Amino acid sequence: MTKPYDFLIVGAGYAGSVCAERLAAAGRRVLLIDRRPHIGGNAYDCLNAQGVLIHPYGPHIFHTNARRVFDYLGGFTRWRFYEHRVLAKVGRQFLPIPINRVTINRLYGLELDEAGVAAHLERVREPKNEIRTSLDVVLNSVGGDLCDKFFSGYTKKQWGLDLSELAAGVAARIPTRTNDDDRYFTDRFQFMPEQGYARMFETMLAHPNIEVRLGTDFAELRRDIPASKVIYTGPIDFYFDYRFGKLPYRSLEFQHEHRPEDAYQPVGTINYPNEEDYTRITEFKKLTGQVCAGTAIVREFPRAEGDPYYPVPRPENELLFKRYQTLADQEEEVHFVGRLAQYRYYNMDQVVAASLALTDKILGRQVAQR
Ligand code: FAD
Ligand code: UDP
């Protein structure tokens, strides 16, 4: 029996949408479903009641070193140049994070030049022969005092775990600098989609070979899949009915607030590593460049339960994931891609790259078979 679609794609975030667009452009008929009432996954944006563009699932800043990813997405949006800057509240001070020359000088009342900061860090760092955990990363680069002030509390809040319980890659996302560069990211391409993420996804999915069905859970179609092949981008443990137990995903509660003033804080995000219950406050207008009256902010409160937002990178979780991955490899007509399905702490650009690689492989194979 021929099926009405070539591909059923589960999840309309980056992973599902990029796959849908690539396959549709190559002539495949695609049914793209999402259990949520909108496309874009966690990168979705929309206007709040007062007309300010917000990111309901937390702040999303696009940055990449991959020209292919940047050019690909550029086919669906114009870009607005934006470099993200973050301050961290330590005591009564708001200091640049990643830690740089200004951070060290203001925190300790010093006037060091670059060489002086390098020498300072060399004195205070606790060199590690083997870098295994996030604690090793931080102690090895900045030592105990800066670790306590900037990293320990934030990490405890964000993950409910100690730095020593997380893989090195988590803290390694944050570099240490001896110069005055206060950008959060140093990637070659740092831009926001000019009309927002949702608009970019709409353009991406406007192909006549793509049918989008929202508010539709994979569970509803599972018994009688209307396609020859499936691309699954949801949590991998859900797909296999939690056969080996639940993979931990960290969740967040977002507290959105509209404010009457035109600007709320000096930079896009302020991190709160210590006293507060939330990890950070982001002001969306700083990211989007929107000019309007009033402003909108979001506070992020980490949670153990709720929507799965972050895979939790630590060795035992990686082992459990590998068991699921072995099952996934045996599913002949199903491909798994994306942050939840691959259980990787991926940024948006990495998900796009993984999805482009997958569709290259799928199309390459099919072309070769013909
Ligand atoms: P998702 O966006 O999670 O999409 C998966 C989709 O699948 C969801 O829409 C879900 O509803 C759907 N789904 C799941 N199960 C089912 C089912 N059974 N049936 C139907 N649908 C299903 N990255 C950056 O590059 N820069 C940033 O600044 C940045 N900030 C972030 C901030 C936060 C708070 C978070 C949580 C992430 C951030 N990211 C950022 C990461 C970024 O969100 C992800 O890399 C990217 O959105 C992942 O895309 P995805 O398609 O893999 O997954
Ligand atoms: N981190 C920290 N203090 C900070 C910023 C980051 O301890 O001020 C650590 C923390 O463990 C965090 C990780 O570095 O989870 C990665 O931070 P990033 O800002 O990349 O997190 P994301 O934006 O993905 O939530």
Side-chain angles (χ1 to χ4, degrees), residues 225-285:
I225 291 179
S228 331
K229 289 190 166 55
V230 175
I231 295 180
Y232 178 81
T233 77
I236 190 168
D237 55 345
F238 170 87
Y239 181 92
F240 292 107
D241 298 322
Y242 308 107
R243 194 176 306 177
F244 303 133
K246 277 198 163 189
L247 268 171
Y249 294 90
R250 191 72 171 159
S251 193
L252 292 171
E253 191 180 317
F254 300 103
Q255 195 184 88
H256 287 270
E257 188 184 344
H258 185 84
R259 312 264 320 170
E261 59 269 35
D262 288 345
Y264 178 76
Q265 59 189 28
V267 290
T269 297
I270 296 189
N271 285 357
Y272 291 85
N274 300 310
E275 296 82 10
E276 292 74 4
D277 288 342
Y278 44 88
T279 49
R280 56 188 180 190
I281 299 182
T282 297
E283 181 180 9
F284 292 109
K285 277 168 73 176

Side-chain angles (χ1 to χ4, degrees), residues 11 14-15 34-35 42 59-61 217-218 338-339 346-348:
Y14 273 98
D34 203 298
R35 54 156 71 122
N42 287 336
H60 279 70
I61 299 115
D217 199 293
F218 180 47
R339 177 149 147 149
Y346 272 156
N347 292 326
M348 296 184 277

Side-chain angles (χ1 to χ4, degrees), residues 10-17 33-36 38-43 57-63 173 185 197 216-219 232-235 238 252 254 280 300 308-310 337-341 345-351:
V10 182
Y14 273 98
S17 298
I33 63 165
D34 203 298
R35 54 156 71 122
R36 290 173 172 166
H38 58 73
I39 56 174
N42 287 336
Y57 305 101
H60 279 70
I61 299 115
F62 183 77
H63 56 100
R173 291 167 64 90
F185 310 110
Y197 291 102
T216 305
D217 199 293
F218 180 47
Y232 178 81
T233 77
F238 170 87
L252 292 171
F254 300 103
R280 56 188 180 190
E300 297 176 46
Y309 291 127
Y310 291 83
V337 67
R339 177 149 147 149
L340 304 170
Y345 191 172
Y346 272 156
N347 292 326
M348 296 184 277
D349 65 319
Q350 295 170 301
V351 175

